[in-house]
Amino acid sequence: MCGIVGYVGSKDACPFLISGLQRLEYRGYDSAGISTLRPTGGLGVTKVAGRVADLDSALQRQALTGALGIGHTRWATHGAATEDNAHPHIGGQGILSLAHNGVIENYESLKFALQAKGYAFRSQTDSEVVAHLIADCFKNAAADQHGDGSVQSGIEAVQEALSQLRGTYGLVVMFRDYPDLLIAARCGSPLVVGVGKDEQFVASDTSPLVGFTERIIYLADHQLAVIRSNNIQVLHRDQGRIRPDIQTLSSQTVDANLEGYGHYMLKEIYEQPESIQNALRGRLDKDNATAKFGGLNLTTQQLRGIQRIILTGCGTSWHSALVGEYLIEELARIPVEVEYASELRYRNPPVDHDTIVFGITQSGETADTLAALREVKRKGHHTLALCNVIGSSIAQEADGGVYLHAGPEIGVASTKAFTSQLTVLSMLALYFGRLRHLSFEAGQRIISQLESLPSLVEKTLECHGQVKEIAERYADATNFLYLGRNYNFPTALEGALKLKEISYIHAEGYPAAEMKHGPIALVDERTPSVFIVPQGTVYDKVLSNLQEVKARGGPVIAIVDHDDRQVTNLADAVIQIPQIEDFLQPIVAAIPLQLLSYEIALLRGCDVDKPRNLAKSVTVE
Ligand code: M6R
């Protein structure tokens, strides 16, 4: 998590730093700061415990100028969200400024040693340790062969300090004595260098670079970039100087415009007809009643030989994986296992030779998912990414994959990425199915259902007014249950997560029948249960579960897919969505659940797009 930006050139650094931090704020937003080398000399630092907007106001009151600068927006790991703990951190007696993303595991022993040498710490962070450690190494480097003041001392100081770190970092450093030098280094936390003309940029991802340059260098782990206004060198820890691979920034730009919507989350909910259409585009092969994918990087023979699939991810992406399990097992008859990436990473399950592993991730930067994929890849398995952000770490490291093409998702609560993930997983299930037993006719039927999705989702959005009224009735509840079965069990989990994360109401998702094994004890007249009860194979069963809740006085909000008299007679509120086959119901049913959480969060005065304690991209373990 956390966002880093850096600038070296001849212009004032601040405008790029502030706009970059605004675009990176989705990575963390509890405190922010920037540091520049003042034109008169010496390092200036402005930090706030708060949002980038607060930092901007502080800079309006007292400007920080300079053509060399770094900035940071933080998601706290070590130490509370205070001004002292905000980055950049000063190393030594004002020798350097540093912004760091990641976690330094051995920071306590390093801190102890540095304190013994007289370094005074102002923060509780692990990052300040890195700043002082580089300062200490710089003192040593400058004292020996490079005492002539060449930037080599700075480079060596950073290299020496990095060799002592255990953990993860993406960091950028600037020195008081080097007005034309930024050093950026990566191990586990992404960094991109933007190549300009007589100016260069650094950022945690490409979003800050849009509009500033189209030429970029993704740093890989153990690489360090020595960045001067007219020159960039990339050094690898083991290989020495390497030729940087300059790529062109994809046309996927950050659309920072709310286009009249009150929040990005709402905008992204309303974008779903289009984002689903984009996920489908060019991937349906009607002639062969199947789907097609360009980037799986497996031969047809290898695809037919797959004996098992592991789907892994975190949060909403893990919920998508659960739907994927139902889809692939039903349509393709391939055994699927779903693993939390954070568990897969350390669990070491036996994985057979003919198993492929899909990492599902919107951002492509989630540390747990990245680590899990690396671990299975190390063991020789083919890894695939189902990912939204083009060029992200996971997209680059996987052996192949499928992009969602959902466009930038800025709201912390994932909405359109979820429905796009489900759309792609449905197509993958169709594709794997057609390589095996699935008939041509079944393939055709699935394609026609998939094609109807964008317009059905468009229609579903019409329930917004009704959902708003329901939200007003239940916004004061302190507990919610979300219940569904079969394909809609993961939908229930996703509905509960949406409510929890943006409205701070406790909510649990359960398979509707599982409720009677414990959670039913929570049912009372103050605890609404949201039942997802469209027509389908488990309709009667869910209806029985709904009756069990009503019999205990629990209010019921039901999601149905026709003018359902039975449910309407029982439920306290009913939301109608369009009819679609079971396997695509989660895509349509997710819409009212997203809207319900949005409306409730608004009524409770919550910050919908930036809920407390969260970040869009979770790049720490
Ligand atoms: O970018 P990813 O899909 O890998 O992110 C995984 C989770 O952090 C993410 O889905 C999170 O649960 C969302 N805030 C849920 O809305």
Side-chain angles (χ1 to χ4, degrees):
M1 353 267 272
C2 308
I4 291 176
V5 282
Y7 176 87
V8 56
S10 54
K11 298 183 190 142
D12 195 14
C14 258
F16 168 73
L17 298 179
I18 287 293
S19 83
L21 291 181
Q22 278 161 348
R23 291 178 186 182
L24 287 177
E25 214 174 8
Y26 73 90
R27 301 175 73 93
Y29 38 77
D30 57 38
S31 51
I34 64 167
S35 175
T36 61
L37 180 61
R38 294 181 193 281
T40 49
L43 298 171
V45 184
T46 301
K47 307 201 275 192
V48 296
R51 302 273 166 96
V52 176
D54 303 316
L55 176 65
D56 197 22
S57 308
L59 290 165
Q60 304 290 342
R61 291 192 294 276
Q62 190 160 15
L64 260 190
T65 53
L68 176 70
I70 61 177
H72 189 268
T73 177
R74 180 170 185 248
W75 184 86
T77 57
H78 295 65
T82 62
E83 192 179 314
D84 279 343
N85 287 335
H87 301 218
H89 291 288
I90 295 292
Q93 301 286 331
I95 291 173
L96 60 92
S97 284
L98 168 134
H100 164 240
N101 181 8
V103 175
I104 304 303
E105 287 162 7
N106 58 336
Y107 83 101
E108 282 188 81
S109 58
L110 292 169
K111 185 170 181 175
F112 188 68
L114 287 161
Q115 279 171 327
K117 288 183 180 180
Y119 287 91
F121 283 79
R122 300 179 60 133
S123 77
Q124 287 84 51
T125 64
D126 51 342
S127 309
E128 191 183 5
V129 172
V130 186
H132 287 314
L133 184 62
I134 297 174
D136 193 52
C137 296
F138 183 67
K139 217 167 64 187
N140 299 336
D144 50 55
Q145 75 261 38
H146 303 297
D148 57 357
S150 93
V151 297
Q152 191 61 26
S153 305
I155 300 166
E156 284 183 10
V158 175
Q159 286 174 318
E160 170 53 29
L162 296 185
S163 72
Q164 297 181 39
L165 301 181
R166 257 199 352 260
T168 54
Y169 53 80
L171 57 84
V172 59
V173 190
M174 55 187 256
F175 290 83
R176 179 192 58 199
D177 298 335
Y178 301 145
D180 189 32
L181 177 70
L182 273 182
I183 297 180
R186 169 187 165 147
C187 176
S189 293
L191 276 184
V192 191
V193 180
V195 184
K197 189 168 178 322
D198 299 327
E199 60 180 356
Q200 322 287 355
F201 313 86
V202 180
S204 297
D205 68 35
T206 54
S207 58
L209 307 178
V210 174
F212 289 89
T213 179
E214 288 181 348
R215 300 171 72 220
I216 54 168
I217 302 167
Y218 289 106
L219 288 188
D221 279 352
H222 310 303
Q223 287 183 356
L224 175 149
V226 178
I227 307 166
R228 297 185 185 89
S229 50
N230 59 5
N231 172 272
I232 297 168
Q233 282 179 20
V234 179
L235 310 174
H236 186 278
R237 184 189 62 184
D238 308 320
Q239 298 153 17
R241 188 165 170 183
I242 56 169
R243 180 194 286 268
D245 175 17
I246 300 180
Q247 302 184 24
T248 305
L249 189 55
S250 104
S251 57
Q252 187 185 31
T253 55
V254 172
D255 183 357
N257 187 351
L258 280 166
E259 288 166 15
Y261 288 97
H263 297 90
Y264 284 106
M265 181 182 178
L266 188 64
K267 177 174 177 248
E268 287 155 8
I269 291 173
Y270 271 84
E271 281 171 351
Q272 288 174 108
E274 193 188 335
S275 52
I276 291 169
Q277 186 69 66
N278 288 341
L280 293 169
R281 184 162 292 119
R283 288 180 171 148
L284 295 177
D285 174 358
K286 285 192 185 172
D287 291 344
N288 296 299
T290 186
K292 54 186 179 193
F293 297 97
L296 297 180
N297 298 336
L298 286 164
T299 63
T300 308
Q301 200 181 354
Q302 285 171 319
L303 287 162
R304 287 210 175 92
I306 294 169
Q307 296 299 318
R308 187 167 159 238
I309 294 177
I310 295 179
L311 302 176
T312 191
C314 305
T316 287
S317 294
W318 185 80
H319 296 157
S320 296
L322 280 182
V323 180
E325 177 182 27
Y326 286 51
L327 281 164
I328 295 171
E329 291 195 341
E330 181 173 339
L331 302 183
R333 315 298 305 153
I334 302 173
V336 176
E337 274 171 57
V338 175
E339 294 269 1
Y340 281 114
S342 53
E343 292 296 310
L344 177 61
R345 173 178 189 181
Y346 293 113
R347 214 169 64 78
N348 196 20
V351 181
D352 297 331
H353 178 60
D354 297 319
T355 301
I356 60 166
V357 184
F358 266 99
I360 305 179
T361 168
Q362 187 285 130
S363 62
E365 300 294 351
T366 301
D368 289 321
T369 310
L370 180 58
L373 285 190
R374 279 183 182 157
E375 180 61 17
V376 289
K377 192 171 172 174
R378 205 178 56 75
K379 290 174 180 156
H381 299 287
H382 193 78
T383 56
L384 293 162
L386 210 153
C387 178
N388 193 33
V389 177
I390 293 169
S392 55
S393 300
I394 293 175
Q396 290 190 67
E397 288 201 26
D399 297 312
V402 187
Y403 278 122
L404 302 180
H405 298 307
E409 190 182 69
I410 295 174
V412 164
S414 186
T415 51
K416 62 177 180 173
F418 177 65
T419 50
S420 292
Q421 285 166 345
L422 301 192
T423 306
V424 170
L425 284 163
S426 312
M427 288 188 285
L428 280 168
L430 165 66
Y431 179 60
F432 288 133
R434 287 287 293 137
L435 285 173
R436 291 162 180 244
H437 75 287
L438 201 70
S439 70
F440 186 85
E441 289 68 28
Q444 277 185 320
R445 202 192 67 234
I446 291 167
I447 287 183
S448 97
Q449 290 278 301
L450 282 165
E451 283 181 323
S452 70
L453 270 175
S455 60
L456 291 184
V457 168
E458 184 92 59
K459 178 109 193 82
T460 310
L461 288 164
E462 290 171 13
C463 73
H464 192 167
Q466 197 187 353
V467 170
K468 206 166 172 176
E469 284 168 23
I470 296 170
E472 278 160 17
R473 281 162 65 187
Y474 297 105
D476 291 333
T478 48
N479 291 296
F480 266 75
L481 289 172
Y482 284 74
L483 302 159
R485 290 180 83 158
N486 200 357
Y487 283 101
N488 286 315
F489 156 49
T491 319
L493 291 177
E494 176 60 7
L497 176 62
K498 288 287 88 86
L499 188 71
K500 267 185 276 211
E501 69 178 327
I502 62 166
S503 73
Y504 321 142
I505 296 175
H506 171 242
E508 295 206 31
Y510 260 92
E514 196 56 27
M515 171 205 55
K516 59 186 174 293
H517 299 287
I520 198 164
L522 296 172
V523 171
D524 61 19
E525 64 288 353
R526 292 183 311 278
T527 304
S529 292
V530 180
F531 271 90
I532 304 142
V533 57
Q535 286 291 314
T537 46
V538 290
Y539 172 80
D540 291 334
K541 308 288 174 197
V542 183
L543 193 59
S544 305
N545 302 139
L546 192 157
Q547 273 161 328
E548 288 154 15
V549 168
K550 276 316 295 176
R552 285 159 182 81
V556 166
I557 302 164
I559 295 177
V560 298
D561 65 355
H562 66 289
D563 183 16
D564 190 326
R565 289 289 103 204
Q566 287 197 87
V567 174
T568 307
N569 289 338
L570 286 165
D572 300 85
V574 173
I575 302 165
Q576 193 173 329
I577 58 172
Q579 276 186 326
I580 193 153
E581 280 198 41
D582 292 32
F583 71 97
L584 294 178
Q585 280 171 358
I587 298 177
V588 178
I591 311 293
L593 302 182
Q594 295 166 350
L595 288 167
L596 184 65
S597 63
Y598 174 78
E599 290 298 339
I600 290 179
L602 270 192
L603 288 164
R604 292 168 72 99
C606 300
D607 188 343
V608 173
D609 283 335
K610 294 194 179 76
R612 71 182 180 207
N613 303 338
L614 280 165
K616 180 72 182 159
S617 182
V618 184
T619 57
V620 292
E621 255 197 84

mmCIF file of all heavy atoms in Angstrom, residues 519-550:
data_model
loop_
_atom_site.group_PDB
_atom_site.id
_atom_site.type_symbol
_atom_site.label_atom_id
_atom_site.label_comp_id
_atom_site.label_asym_id
_atom_site.label_seq_id
_atom_site.Cartn_x
_atom_site.Cartn_y
_atom_site.Cartn_z
ATOM 1 N N PRO A 519 -25.725 -19.088 12.958
ATOM 2 C CA PRO A 519 -26.072 -17.664 12.823
ATOM 3 C C PRO A 519 -27.540 -17.358 13.071
ATOM 4 O O PRO A 519 -27.884 -16.210 13.383
ATOM 5 C CB PRO A 519 -25.707 -17.349 11.368
ATOM 6 C CG PRO A 519 -24.772 -18.411 10.961
ATOM 7 C CD PRO A 519 -25.090 -19.622 11.761
ATOM 8 N N ILE A 520 -28.391 -18.353 12.994
ATOM 9 C CA ILE A 520 -29.821 -18.096 13.221
ATOM 10 C C ILE A 520 -30.041 -17.518 14.630
ATOM 11 O O ILE A 520 -31.025 -16.817 14.880
ATOM 12 C CB ILE A 520 -30.640 -19.387 12.988
ATOM 13 C CG1 ILE A 520 -32.108 -19.033 12.784
ATOM 14 C CG2 ILE A 520 -30.438 -20.411 14.100
ATOM 15 C CD1 ILE A 520 -32.933 -20.144 12.167
ATOM 16 N N ALA A 521 -29.099 -17.766 15.515
ATOM 17 C CA ALA A 521 -29.200 -17.198 16.867
ATOM 18 C C ALA A 521 -29.147 -15.669 16.823
ATOM 19 O O ALA A 521 -29.596 -14.995 17.749
ATOM 20 C CB ALA A 521 -28.065 -17.733 17.738
ATOM 21 N N LEU A 522 -28.616 -15.114 15.753
ATOM 22 C CA LEU A 522 -28.535 -13.650 15.634
ATOM 23 C C LEU A 522 -29.860 -13.029 15.196
ATOM 24 O O LEU A 522 -30.041 -11.817 15.294
ATOM 25 C CB LEU A 522 -27.470 -13.264 14.589
ATOM 26 C CG LEU A 522 -26.017 -13.640 14.883
ATOM 27 C CD1 LEU A 522 -25.150 -13.365 13.664
ATOM 28 C CD2 LEU A 522 -25.496 -12.864 16.083
ATOM 29 N N VAL A 523 -30.759 -13.858 14.675
ATOM 30 C CA VAL A 523 -31.991 -13.309 14.097
ATOM 31 C C VAL A 523 -32.891 -12.723 15.190
ATOM 32 O O VAL A 523 -33.223 -13.389 16.166
ATOM 33 C CB VAL A 523 -32.745 -14.407 13.302
ATOM 34 C CG1 VAL A 523 -34.130 -13.918 12.887
ATOM 35 C CG2 VAL A 523 -31.939 -14.845 12.086
ATOM 36 N N ASP A 524 -33.228 -11.471 15.028
ATOM 37 C CA ASP A 524 -34.253 -10.837 15.877
ATOM 38 C C ASP A 524 -34.858 -9.689 15.069
ATOM 39 O O ASP A 524 -34.476 -9.481 13.905
ATOM 40 C CB ASP A 524 -33.668 -10.355 17.218
ATOM 41 C CG ASP A 524 -32.582 -9.303 17.051
ATOM 42 O OD1 ASP A 524 -32.512 -8.681 15.965
ATOM 43 O OD2 ASP A 524 -31.804 -9.088 17.995
ATOM 44 N N GLU A 525 -35.757 -8.950 15.665
ATOM 45 C CA GLU A 525 -36.483 -7.938 14.876
ATOM 46 C C GLU A 525 -35.604 -6.762 14.446
ATOM 47 O O GLU A 525 -36.003 -5.946 13.622
ATOM 48 C CB GLU A 525 -37.750 -7.462 15.607
ATOM 49 C CG GLU A 525 -37.580 -6.744 16.922
ATOM 50 C CD GLU A 525 -37.140 -7.652 18.075
ATOM 51 O OE1 GLU A 525 -37.068 -8.903 17.924
ATOM 52 O OE2 GLU A 525 -36.851 -7.102 19.153
ATOM 53 N N ARG A 526 -34.383 -6.688 14.972
ATOM 54 C CA ARG A 526 -33.487 -5.581 14.593
ATOM 55 C C ARG A 526 -32.413 -6.022 13.588
ATOM 56 O O ARG A 526 -31.556 -5.228 13.209
ATOM 57 C CB ARG A 526 -32.799 -5.009 15.842
ATOM 58 C CG ARG A 526 -33.735 -4.291 16.806
ATOM 59 C CD ARG A 526 -32.968 -3.700 17.974
ATOM 60 N NE ARG A 526 -32.060 -4.653 18.596
ATOM 61 C CZ ARG A 526 -32.393 -5.579 19.487
ATOM 62 N NH1 ARG A 526 -33.654 -5.666 19.872
ATOM 63 N NH2 ARG A 526 -31.504 -6.421 19.991
ATOM 64 N N THR A 527 -32.417 -7.285 13.221
ATOM 65 C CA THR A 527 -31.366 -7.788 12.319
ATOM 66 C C THR A 527 -31.945 -8.170 10.953
ATOM 67 O O THR A 527 -32.529 -9.243 10.800
ATOM 68 C CB THR A 527 -30.672 -9.028 12.937
ATOM 69 O OG1 THR A 527 -30.167 -8.660 14.216
ATOM 70 C CG2 THR A 527 -29.530 -9.530 12.061
ATOM 71 N N PRO A 528 -31.793 -7.287 9.967
ATOM 72 C CA PRO A 528 -32.339 -7.630 8.643
ATOM 73 C C PRO A 528 -31.545 -8.762 7.982
ATOM 74 O O PRO A 528 -30.324 -8.818 8.114
ATOM 75 C CB PRO A 528 -32.176 -6.335 7.838
ATOM 76 C CG PRO A 528 -31.748 -5.289 8.799
ATOM 77 C CD PRO A 528 -31.172 -5.961 9.992
ATOM 78 N N SER A 529 -32.261 -9.624 7.297
ATOM 79 C CA SER A 529 -31.616 -10.664 6.474
ATOM 80 C C SER A 529 -31.903 -10.368 5.013
ATOM 81 O O SER A 529 -33.064 -10.203 4.628
ATOM 82 C CB SER A 529 -32.173 -12.048 6.810
ATOM 83 O OG SER A 529 -31.776 -12.431 8.105
ATOM 84 N N VAL A 530 -30.839 -10.293 4.229
ATOM 85 C CA VAL A 530 -31.007 -10.077 2.793
ATOM 86 C C VAL A 530 -30.941 -11.453 2.124
ATOM 87 O O VAL A 530 -29.905 -12.121 2.170
ATOM 88 C CB VAL A 530 -29.887 -9.164 2.234
ATOM 89 C CG1 VAL A 530 -30.072 -8.944 0.735
ATOM 90 C CG2 VAL A 530 -29.860 -7.828 2.979
ATOM 91 N N PHE A 531 -32.058 -11.882 1.570
ATOM 92 C CA PHE A 531 -32.110 -13.188 0.891
ATOM 93 C C PHE A 531 -32.012 -12.994 -0.618
ATOM 94 O O PHE A 531 -32.736 -12.182 -1.192
ATOM 95 C CB PHE A 531 -33.437 -13.889 1.196
ATOM 96 C CG PHE A 531 -33.382 -14.740 2.430
ATOM 97 C CD1 PHE A 531 -33.708 -14.202 3.668
ATOM 98 C CD2 PHE A 531 -33.009 -16.072 2.358
ATOM 99 C CE1 PHE A 531 -33.659 -14.978 4.811
ATOM 100 C CE2 PHE A 531 -32.949 -16.858 3.496
ATOM 101 C CZ PHE A 531 -33.277 -16.313 4.742
ATOM 102 N N ILE A 532 -31.133 -13.769 -1.239
ATOM 103 C CA ILE A 532 -31.048 -13.747 -2.707
ATOM 104 C C ILE A 532 -31.793 -14.991 -3.164
ATOM 105 O O ILE A 532 -31.336 -16.118 -2.965
ATOM 106 C CB ILE A 532 -29.578 -13.747 -3.157
ATOM 107 C CG1 ILE A 532 -28.870 -12.552 -2.494
ATOM 108 C CG2 ILE A 532 -29.460 -13.646 -4.674
ATOM 109 C CD1 ILE A 532 -27.485 -12.838 -2.059
ATOM 110 N N VAL A 533 -32.978 -14.771 -3.715
ATOM 111 C CA VAL A 533 -33.877 -15.905 -3.932
ATOM 112 C C VAL A 533 -34.527 -15.869 -5.336
ATOM 113 O O VAL A 533 -35.743 -15.882 -5.456
ATOM 114 C CB VAL A 533 -34.894 -15.992 -2.751
ATOM 115 C CG1 VAL A 533 -35.686 -14.726 -2.579
ATOM 116 C CG2 VAL A 533 -35.800 -17.177 -2.854
ATOM 117 N N PRO A 534 -33.673 -15.834 -6.380
ATOM 118 C CA PRO A 534 -34.256 -15.906 -7.720
ATOM 119 C C PRO A 534 -34.670 -17.336 -8.050
ATOM 120 O O PRO A 534 -34.299 -18.280 -7.347
ATOM 121 C CB PRO A 534 -33.098 -15.458 -8.626
ATOM 122 C CG PRO A 534 -31.866 -15.790 -7.855
ATOM 123 C CD PRO A 534 -32.211 -15.755 -6.398
ATOM 124 N N GLN A 535 -35.434 -17.491 -9.119
ATOM 125 C CA GLN A 535 -35.809 -18.827 -9.589
ATOM 126 C C GLN A 535 -34.568 -19.634 -9.916
ATOM 127 O O GLN A 535 -33.543 -19.075 -10.284
ATOM 128 C CB GLN A 535 -36.651 -18.716 -10.865
ATOM 129 C CG GLN A 535 -38.065 -18.240 -10.643
ATOM 130 C CD GLN A 535 -38.913 -19.268 -9.904
ATOM 131 O OE1 GLN A 535 -38.882 -20.445 -10.234
ATOM 132 N NE2 GLN A 535 -39.658 -18.826 -8.922
ATOM 133 N N GLY A 536 -34.686 -20.956 -9.796
ATOM 134 C CA GLY A 536 -33.532 -21.794 -10.134
ATOM 135 C C GLY A 536 -33.571 -23.060 -9.322
ATOM 136 O O GLY A 536 -34.544 -23.315 -8.588
ATOM 137 N N THR A 537 -32.501 -23.823 -9.416
ATOM 138 C CA THR A 537 -32.513 -25.154 -8.816
ATOM 139 C C THR A 537 -32.727 -25.144 -7.302
ATOM 140 O O THR A 537 -33.260 -26.097 -6.752
ATOM 141 C CB THR A 537 -31.183 -25.882 -9.121
ATOM 142 O OG1 THR A 537 -30.132 -24.967 -8.866
ATOM 143 C CG2 THR A 537 -31.113 -26.353 -10.553
ATOM 144 N N VAL A 538 -32.291 -24.094 -6.618
ATOM 145 C CA VAL A 538 -32.407 -24.115 -5.155
ATOM 146 C C VAL A 538 -33.490 -23.161 -4.637
ATOM 147 O O VAL A 538 -33.558 -22.887 -3.434
ATOM 148 C CB VAL A 538 -31.047 -23.775 -4.483
ATOM 149 C CG1 VAL A 538 -30.048 -24.888 -4.682
ATOM 150 C CG2 VAL A 538 -30.501 -22.461 -5.008
ATOM 151 N N TYR A 539 -34.344 -22.689 -5.544
ATOM 152 C CA TYR A 539 -35.352 -21.700 -5.145
ATOM 153 C C TYR A 539 -36.174 -22.151 -3.932
ATOM 154 O O TYR A 539 -36.295 -21.445 -2.930
ATOM 155 C CB TYR A 539 -36.270 -21.404 -6.340
ATOM 156 C CG TYR A 539 -37.453 -20.537 -5.987
ATOM 157 C CD1 TYR A 539 -37.310 -19.163 -5.872
ATOM 158 C CD2 TYR A 539 -38.713 -21.099 -5.750
ATOM 159 C CE1 TYR A 539 -38.388 -18.358 -5.534
ATOM 160 C CE2 TYR A 539 -39.796 -20.308 -5.413
ATOM 161 C CZ TYR A 539 -39.628 -18.936 -5.306
ATOM 162 O OH TYR A 539 -40.689 -18.143 -4.956
ATOM 163 N N ASP A 540 -36.759 -23.370 -4.013
ATOM 164 C CA ASP A 540 -37.628 -23.839 -2.925
ATOM 165 C C ASP A 540 -36.868 -23.941 -1.609
ATOM 166 O O ASP A 540 -37.412 -23.665 -0.538
ATOM 167 C CB ASP A 540 -38.209 -25.212 -3.265
ATOM 168 C CG ASP A 540 -39.194 -25.112 -4.411
ATOM 169 O OD1 ASP A 540 -39.777 -24.019 -4.585
ATOM 170 O OD2 ASP A 540 -39.338 -26.104 -5.148
ATOM 171 N N LYS A 541 -35.628 -24.349 -1.724
ATOM 172 C CA LYS A 541 -34.816 -24.523 -0.506
ATOM 173 C C LYS A 541 -34.570 -23.166 0.159
ATOM 174 O O LYS A 541 -34.672 -23.031 1.372
ATOM 175 C CB LYS A 541 -33.463 -25.156 -0.853
ATOM 176 C CG LYS A 541 -33.555 -26.413 -1.659
ATOM 177 C CD LYS A 541 -34.071 -27.541 -0.823
ATOM 178 C CE LYS A 541 -34.302 -28.786 -1.679
ATOM 179 N NZ LYS A 541 -35.155 -29.767 -1.014
ATOM 180 N N VAL A 542 -34.234 -22.167 -0.652
ATOM 181 C CA VAL A 542 -33.964 -20.839 -0.079
ATOM 182 C C VAL A 542 -35.246 -20.269 0.515
ATOM 183 O O VAL A 542 -35.233 -19.629 1.575
ATOM 184 C CB VAL A 542 -33.365 -19.879 -1.132
ATOM 185 C CG1 VAL A 542 -33.009 -18.530 -0.511
ATOM 186 C CG2 VAL A 542 -32.122 -20.481 -1.764
ATOM 187 N N LEU A 543 -36.350 -20.547 -0.153
ATOM 188 C CA LEU A 543 -37.646 -20.069 0.356
ATOM 189 C C LEU A 543 -37.907 -20.631 1.764
ATOM 190 O O LEU A 543 -38.384 -19.926 2.659
ATOM 191 C CB LEU A 543 -38.749 -20.486 -0.622
ATOM 192 C CG LEU A 543 -40.102 -19.825 -0.431
ATOM 193 C CD1 LEU A 543 -40.008 -18.310 -0.544
ATOM 194 C CD2 LEU A 543 -41.084 -20.355 -1.468
ATOM 195 N N SER A 544 -37.562 -21.889 1.949
ATOM 196 C CA SER A 544 -37.744 -22.486 3.283
ATOM 197 C C SER A 544 -36.862 -21.775 4.299
ATOM 198 O O SER A 544 -37.291 -21.486 5.420
ATOM 199 C CB SER A 544 -37.356 -23.970 3.275
ATOM 200 O OG SER A 544 -38.072 -24.635 2.306
ATOM 201 N N ASN A 545 -35.644 -21.486 3.924
ATOM 202 C CA ASN A 545 -34.742 -20.792 4.844
ATOM 203 C C ASN A 545 -35.283 -19.403 5.184
ATOM 204 O O ASN A 545 -35.183 -18.940 6.323
ATOM 205 C CB ASN A 545 -33.340 -20.666 4.246
ATOM 206 C CG ASN A 545 -32.732 -22.006 3.889
ATOM 207 O OD1 ASN A 545 -32.089 -22.158 2.852
ATOM 208 N ND2 ASN A 545 -32.930 -23.007 4.739
ATOM 209 N N LEU A 546 -35.861 -18.761 4.172
ATOM 210 C CA LEU A 546 -36.443 -17.430 4.386
ATOM 211 C C LEU A 546 -37.593 -17.527 5.420
ATOM 212 O O LEU A 546 -37.706 -16.696 6.331
ATOM 213 C CB LEU A 546 -36.948 -16.905 3.040
ATOM 214 C CG LEU A 546 -37.355 -15.458 2.885
ATOM 215 C CD1 LEU A 546 -37.254 -15.042 1.411
ATOM 216 C CD2 LEU A 546 -38.758 -15.174 3.392
ATOM 217 N N GLN A 547 -38.385 -18.582 5.268
ATOM 218 C CA GLN A 547 -39.496 -18.760 6.221
ATOM 219 C C GLN A 547 -38.982 -18.974 7.642
ATOM 220 O O GLN A 547 -39.577 -18.499 8.612
ATOM 221 C CB GLN A 547 -40.363 -19.944 5.779
ATOM 222 C CG GLN A 547 -41.415 -19.473 4.789
ATOM 223 C CD GLN A 547 -42.006 -20.594 3.955
ATOM 224 O OE1 GLN A 547 -41.326 -21.574 3.657
ATOM 225 N NE2 GLN A 547 -43.249 -20.438 3.589
ATOM 226 N N GLU A 548 -37.861 -19.668 7.749
ATOM 227 C CA GLU A 548 -37.281 -19.906 9.081
ATOM 228 C C GLU A 548 -36.905 -18.578 9.755
ATOM 229 O O GLU A 548 -37.080 -18.409 10.958
ATOM 230 C CB GLU A 548 -36.034 -20.800 8.947
ATOM 231 C CG GLU A 548 -36.365 -22.250 8.616
ATOM 232 C CD GLU A 548 -35.245 -22.990 7.875
ATOM 233 O OE1 GLU A 548 -34.098 -22.487 7.853
ATOM 234 O OE2 GLU A 548 -35.552 -24.049 7.293
ATOM 235 N N VAL A 549 -36.398 -17.657 8.961
ATOM 236 C CA VAL A 549 -36.032 -16.346 9.527
ATOM 237 C C VAL A 549 -37.295 -15.584 9.911
ATOM 238 O O VAL A 549 -37.398 -14.990 11.002
ATOM 239 C CB VAL A 549 -35.173 -15.537 8.520
ATOM 240 C CG1 VAL A 549 -35.033 -14.083 8.947
ATOM 241 C CG2 VAL A 549 -33.786 -16.171 8.384
ATOM 242 N N LYS A 550 -38.290 -15.591 9.023
ATOM 243 C CA LYS A 550 -39.551 -14.873 9.320
ATOM 244 C C LYS A 550 -40.201 -15.431 10.581
ATOM 245 O O LYS A 550 -40.726 -14.700 11.417
ATOM 246 C CB LYS A 550 -40.528 -14.998 8.143
ATOM 247 C CG LYS A 550 -40.346 -14.021 7.021
ATOM 248 C CD LYS A 550 -40.100 -12.599 7.406
ATOM 249 C CE LYS A 550 -41.226 -11.885 8.118
ATOM 250 N NZ LYS A 550 -40.822 -10.520 8.538
#
